[in-house]
Amino acid sequence: MKHLLVIGKTWPEPQSTGAGWRMIQLLKLFKSFNYEITFGSASAKTEFSEDLSEMNITETQLKMNDSSFNEFLKQLDPNIVLFDRFMVEEQFGWRVSETCPNAIKILDTEDLHCLRAGRQQAFSEQRRFKKQDLLNQTAKREIASILRCDLSIMISEVEINILKQVFQIDESILHYIPFLLDPVSEEEKETLPTFEDREGFVMLGNLLHPPNFESVKFVKKHVWPIIKKEMPEAQIHIYGAYTSQKVQQFHNKKEGFLIMGRAESASDVLKNARVLLSPLLYGAGLKTKFINAMQNGTPNITTIVGAEGIGGLLPFAGEIANDPKVIAKEAVKHYNSRNQWRTAQKNGFKIIEERFSKSSFEGLFQKKLNYLETNLTEHRNQNFLGQVLQHHQSQSTKYMSKWIEEKNKS
């Protein structure tokens, strides 16, 4: 049986973060290919971490800057090593290349960090995002990591295009795998609460994540007052893991702006709400909340950034707008108009079926893995710049890591 080693930045928390939800999907995908899987991380587990042993996945606690990882690798001898984000590859990639040179190295980018960093910088400076914002310090690290790996899994077509057009990355080392979902069946659609059975607006997301926090602040200041003027009895429930005091300060029962904290079940929250209102001001990747809302038949009101990479050429499951007045207007319209609401819901079901059906992506990825297994040397030779970066990164990171290891010993 082939063996996959996944090195996680953190232990997956699928009920807390989109990244955790995404990781579980990838693990299930490799399981369907009959891989034996070991998942390791140098981070500590939390009470919300998924018990991967229930998926018959071996869990192991890793140490950073420690040669024990090399010994662990020798014994495991994996066919594939999957790095969960570029900073993990920076830390462990050189050890993998040194100890298991024939192992296929795959980077799961989660989302393009340099894109998010560039947009955040533009947002903090209160100006439009420019192409030059992509050329930041994060990009230098992230692009180098992408080049050092044999393949990078990308969650968004938009981000693949950025890598190809802005950074001249060859598409042979990029592979598109969005969220992997089953279409919503007719039986599932019939069991969902109807328009009349639902009430309230909802926001959802990990509130430690800066884009989610800024979205809550934006709605509170610029959007919700307009909605309340039109709908005095309206309420919005804000759910999110890791609710801090700076988020809790927005709680105002009189205004119907309610901070609810962690949701036990995101699906239950979404299927009972009438509209998901989440205008993201910056960010990257695919946003889990919108996909979950579509699965539960809930229309989305968001921004261009929020909807990025979701609908393709299909009509969106709600409305996309950047101006707070338009956002508020569309939120009210979708909340009060049954016909508008039903159209948005149908659009969401169609997006899930045509854009995220896992059956559309499983075979292509397995074919790519088979190609890499039989043509790895040729594949790497075509990416000579990656070999150059691998050589120099191995030297610099290697000796810094060894210095830290010796320092820790003393």
Side-chain angles (χ1 to χ4, degrees):
M1 183 176 286
K2 297 173 185 177
H3 205 130
L4 167 72
L5 169 64
V6 181
I7 309 177
K9 182 175 183 290
T10 59
W11 293 91
E13 294 185 25
Q15 300 302 317
S16 303
T17 68
W21 190 55
R22 158 73 162 182
M23 178 54 72
I24 295 299
Q25 290 180 2
L26 291 178
L27 293 174
K28 288 180 178 178
L29 181 61
F30 277 100
K31 272 289 179 184
S32 73
F33 297 159
N34 294 317
Y35 277 84
E36 185 178 350
I37 302 176
T38 298
F39 189 102
S41 178
S43 298
K45 280 193 169 187
T46 74
E47 59 180 308
F48 305 108
S49 299
E50 189 83 351
D51 183 1
L52 299 178
S53 64
E54 293 183 356
M55 296 172 60
N56 199 26
I57 293 173
T58 303
E59 299 180 342
T60 186
Q61 190 67 40
L62 302 177
K63 291 182 179 180
M64 289 198 298
N65 302 308
D66 196 294
S67 56
S68 62
F69 179 75
N70 298 62
E71 296 303 316
F72 164 73
L73 270 180
K74 286 179 184 177
Q75 294 179 17
L76 193 67
D77 192 25
N79 302 88
I80 299 176
V81 178
L82 176 70
F83 303 103
D84 174 25
R85 286 166 271 201
F86 77 87
M87 57 287 292
V88 171
E89 187 277 334
E90 287 180 328
Q91 183 64 227
F92 293 98
W94 69 269
R95 292 183 183 272
V96 173
S97 295
E98 188 175 81
T99 309
C100 299
N102 295 320
I104 298 169
K105 297 192 300 179
I106 299 179
L107 174 65
D108 179 27
T109 57
E110 293 291 350
D111 56 43
L112 202 54
H113 291 68
C114 63
L115 175 60
R116 188 198 306 148
R119 285 175 170 166
Q120 185 169 2
Q121 182 65 31
F123 172 79
S124 66
E125 295 175 2
Q126 298 184 323
R127 59 173 176 79
R128 285 184 177 274
F129 172 76
K130 301 176 293 187
K131 177 182 174 180
Q132 288 79 1
D133 291 319
L134 288 166
L135 311 179
N136 49 55
Q137 293 300 315
T138 299
K140 295 173 183 177
R141 297 171 57 194
E142 188 169 29
I143 299 304
S145 181
I146 288 171
L147 288 168
R148 285 192 297 266
C149 288
D150 300 308
L151 194 68
S152 288
I153 297 175
M154 307 300 300
I155 201 168
S156 168
E157 296 154 313
V158 173
E159 296 180 359
I160 289 179
N161 288 333
I162 288 173
L163 289 175
K164 289 166 60 177
Q165 295 169 12
V166 178
F167 297 103
Q168 306 298 306
I169 301 297
D170 193 287
E171 62 182 353
S172 66
I173 62 172
L174 304 174
H175 194 83
Y176 174 55
I177 305 181
F179 292 129
L180 301 170
L181 310 173
D182 293 313
V184 183
S185 68
E186 292 302 319
E187 292 76 16
E188 289 173 315
K189 293 175 186 177
E190 290 175 5
T191 63
L192 289 172
T194 64
F195 173 84
E196 290 79 10
D197 292 335
R198 302 176 184 229
E199 63 178 0
F201 294 91
V202 68
M203 296 186 76
L204 193 68
N206 176 4
L207 294 169
L208 274 182
H209 192 45
N212 289 334
F213 171 74
E214 292 296 341
S215 180
V216 172
K217 190 163 69 171
F218 175 75
V219 169
K220 169 75 171 174
K221 184 176 180 180
H222 300 290
V223 179
W224 193 243
I226 302 174
I227 293 176
K228 284 294 282 185
K229 188 175 180 180
E230 292 288 322
M231 302 172 58
E233 301 302 316
Q235 288 189 342
I236 184 167
H237 295 78
I238 293 89
Y239 288 90
Y242 305 107
T243 304
S244 64
Q245 184 56 43
K246 72 175 184 177
V247 178
Q248 198 65 44
Q249 67 178 322
F250 297 134
H251 183 87
N252 191 313
K253 192 172 183 180
K254 184 178 179 181
E255 295 177 3
F257 201 88
L258 309 174
I259 308 297
M260 308 301 293
R262 180 183 290 271
E264 289 188 16
S265 169
S267 290
D268 287 344
V269 166
L270 288 165
K271 72 174 57 172
N272 290 297
R274 191 173 288 180
V275 172
L276 172 67
L277 176 61
S278 189
L280 295 171
L281 305 179
Y282 64 92
L286 293 180
K287 289 72 178 178
T288 311
K289 58 178 75 65
F290 303 120
I291 306 298
N292 284 346
M294 292 177 195
Q295 289 179 300
N296 288 283
T298 308
N300 300 305
I301 309 297
T302 188
T303 57
I304 293 173
V305 168
E308 185 176 79
I310 293 177
L313 299 177
L314 296 175
F316 191 63
E319 191 59 50
I320 304 168
N322 282 5
D323 182 87
K325 292 180 181 178
V326 179
I327 292 169
K329 176 185 174 183
E330 292 298 330
V332 170
K333 185 189 298 183
H334 281 77
Y335 193 95
N336 289 327
S337 170
R338 187 181 189 278
N339 289 338
Q340 193 92 14
W341 187 89
R342 284 286 292 151
T343 298
Q345 184 184 68
K346 290 178 181 178
N347 289 344
F349 292 148
K350 189 172 184 179
I351 288 171
I352 294 296
E353 181 176 359
E354 296 193 15
R355 297 272 298 161
F356 298 101
S357 178
K358 64 182 180 183
S359 61
S360 300
F361 302 98
E362 291 172 326
L364 290 173
F365 186 50
Q366 189 168 31
K367 184 178 179 181
K368 186 69 174 183
L369 293 180
N370 291 339
Y371 170 80
L372 291 175
E373 288 169 1
T374 55
N375 300 278
L376 189 59
T377 300
E378 179 185 352
H379 177 78
R380 286 177 174 172
N381 287 340
Q382 292 174 351
N383 179 28
F384 186 72
L385 183 57
Q387 294 186 45
V388 172
L389 289 170
Q390 178 66 55
H391 171 77
H392 289 285
Q393 189 260 359
S394 291
Q395 302 308 309
S396 59
T397 309
K398 173 180 179 178
Y399 289 107
M400 173 60 77
S401 182
K402 286 183 174 293
W403 178 81
I404 294 173
E405 184 176 356
E406 291 302 316
K407 184 173 180 290
N408 289 339
K409 287 179 182 179
S410 61

